[in-house]
Amino acid sequence: MKKFRWIDLVLVPFGLCVLFLLLLGKLLGLTYKQISVVFNLWVQGAVLALSGLAPFGIVVYKMTESFSTGWLVLSFILALYGTAYVFAFIIMVQHYRLPFDDAFNRCVWDLQKVAQKWHTTYQMVNLIIFVVLFLLLLSLNIAGGYLLLRYPAMLW
């Protein structure tokens, strides 16, 4: 009998993610490698880049309603924040350039190297980056935008 390891529990959500990508790829007429690159790298990256810029857009909108030095300083900070997301997305797209097979294989190789460095599995690193980290950063950006919209007077 094989000894139970907690790390094996990662295989269930990883398998569900693979199944989701396979079904989405089938629906769109793409192979697993193609949909992995499109969804995990391009779509998720673009969504994060846009969500990183959203708080800056909200502050610019608020400045049109009532200008203040506080809003100006905040807009500068959030412009840098959003630019960092966009810059990271551009670097990522350049690093994982087409053709699809090359982009997919390079991503797998990178994830395997990180897994080796972290002393864990490829599946764990994949889930941490493309599910946990993605949702965490997206939630942070949405929450920041929500707070700027809902409670602007408390901020400035």
Side-chain angles (χ1 to χ4, degrees):
M1 178 183 258
K2 185 179 172 189
K3 182 181 173 187
F4 174 78
R5 298 178 316 159
W6 285 102
I7 198 80
D8 291 337
L9 290 178
V10 170
L11 296 177
V12 173
F14 180 79
L16 291 173
C17 291
V18 168
L19 181 61
F20 168 76
L21 289 175
L22 284 169
L23 292 172
L24 186 60
K26 189 78 165 165
L27 182 70
L28 298 174
L30 299 172
T31 66
Y32 176 74
K33 287 184 177 184
Q34 291 170 332
I35 194 65
S36 293
V37 170
V38 169
F39 186 80
N40 289 335
L41 300 176
W42 297 354
V43 172
Q44 284 187 322
V47 166
L48 279 182
L50 290 173
S51 74
L53 286 171
F56 168 71
I58 291 168
V59 168
V60 169
Y61 171 74
K62 290 295 183 180
M63 281 188 353
T64 62
E65 291 180 345
S66 63
F67 181 81
S68 73
T69 307
W71 283 119
L72 186 62
V73 170
L74 187 58
S75 72
F76 179 74
I77 292 167
L78 291 176
L80 291 175
Y81 178 78
T83 302
Y85 272 90
V86 172
F87 187 66
F89 177 62
I90 291 169
I91 290 171
M92 191 241 352
V93 167
Q94 288 175 342
H95 182 71
Y96 299 111
R97 59 191 168 275
L98 293 177
F100 284 108
D101 282 349
D102 292 350
F104 180 85
N105 292 337
R106 180 176 278 193
C107 185
V108 168
W109 187 83
D110 289 344
L111 293 171
Q112 288 172 337
K113 285 294 184 189
V114 172
Q116 184 180 17
K117 193 172 202 159
W118 289 357
H119 306 289
T120 189
T121 64
Y122 159 83
Q123 293 87 351
M124 177 68 89
V125 173
N126 199 310
L127 283 173
I128 289 171
I129 291 173
F130 293 113
V131 177
V132 175
L133 189 60
F134 171 75
L135 292 174
L136 186 68
L137 292 172
L138 184 62
S139 298
L140 174 70
N141 294 335
I142 291 171
Y146 174 78
L147 290 173
L148 288 169
L149 283 173
R150 183 86 170 135
Y151 303 106
M154 293 176 68
L155 297 170
W156 303 102

